[in-house]
Amino acid sequence: MPLQDVTVSIDIKKPSALIGLGVPLILAEDSAVVNAPTYKEYFNIEGLAKDFATTDAAYKYAAKIFNQGNNRPAKVAVAKYNSAAEVPITAAQALEQFFYNDFYFVLLAEGKQEEKIAVADIVEANGVKIAVFATDDEVEVAAFSAKKYDRAINFFHADLTEIPEAALVGAVGSKPVGSVTWKFKTLAGVTPQEYSGGRLQDIHAKGAVAYVTKAGINQTSEGIVVSGEYIDVIHGKDWIRLNVEQQIQTLLSTSEKVPYTDAGIAQIESVVTNVMETAVRNGIIATDADGLPLYTITALSRSEVAAADRAARKYNGLNFQFELAGAIHEAAIKGEILI
């Protein structure tokens, strides 16, 4: 676990419906890896060309990501492992070693089903980041569906050489968190598939997404993780959590002292308020009919905190709630033509 003094838990209540949060990590097999996995960041495809052949899976994944136009991420990371080494190093082990580096989306170049499950299990267990896979196999779709991952995207596609999962991350992942839904998105270098309405509903019911043509526009068929939750909900939740953690940590680290007084508590509350206001502007948090943000923050005063916590210099008295802005994915419209 990383060194930190601030942790945030967010519960999404369903009655109403930073840097690194768009960066992909490519896990790639490499027979040259011997004793330990390696990690390196690249800011363009030319950088990858110095370390990989154009036929290597890692190069192809990065090229697909970088080829998604103006929305592509500023960088990609590659972690190399060698499952055939004398002492095998698996993709899951590489991910565990570098889990808290500066990336958010996890892609596995040419991984088998059991390797994908192992990687997805690690992401799910850590409660942050999202793993992204593609499959053309109904059995694999069912295996993912059974796990009900909140932190895995499964892209069902007939031609895996098009690497649709990398295209998806490259096209959408780096847009400002909260500003975008992952449905309706056009991907460069991915061929739309033909499915009946019932077949597409079945794909979605099993927690997968597809690429189709609607109204003459090539687009992603849904924007969900395997559990059925929306990708932007998970991404937005992580954005708020990580920004609150980082900004409070910055406050504590850069201040001579944040006093355990009502004034000191107000400093922490102010940091959280700033994060909430940014989340409103980005489209993560909803507003009411008058344009007022739908979030609340409550903070216990010094006198309301247990004496034992004050003595231990722990403050656990701040809570916040918010309503998600969400997005419109379907519309039923009734009209009347007057003659």
Side-chain angles (χ1 to χ4, degrees), residues 68 167 171-172 183-188 211 217-220:
Q68 297 305 311
V172 190
K183 188 177 181 179
F184 312 118
K185 296 302 174 284
T186 299
L187 309 178
Y211 197 60
I217 301 172
N218 300 337
Q219 58 191 272
T220 50

Side-chain angles (χ1 to χ4, degrees), residues 84-98:
E86 184 175 350
V87 179
I89 304 167
T90 67
Q93 288 171 327
L95 175 60
E96 283 185 313
Q97 178 160 332
F98 302 117

Side-chain angles (χ1 to χ4, degrees), residues 98-111:
F98 302 117
F99 195 87
Y100 289 100
N101 285 25
D102 186 28
F103 64 86
Y104 184 79
F105 297 102
V106 181
L107 301 107
L108 179 61
E110 298 184 336

Side-chain angles (χ1 to χ4, degrees), residues 157 162 187 189-195 210-214 217-219:
H157 196 69
E162 294 185 337
L187 309 178
V190 180
T191 305
Q193 307 297 299
E194 293 186 8
Y195 301 110
Y211 197 60
V212 297
T213 301
K214 293 182 181 180
I217 301 172
N218 300 337
Q219 58 191 272

Side-chain angles (χ1 to χ4, degrees), residues 156-158 192-200 203 209-212 221:
F156 186 71
H157 196 69
Q193 307 297 299
E194 293 186 8
Y195 301 110
S196 67
R199 177 74 176 107
L200 199 55
I203 291 170
V209 301
Y211 197 60
V212 297
S221 65

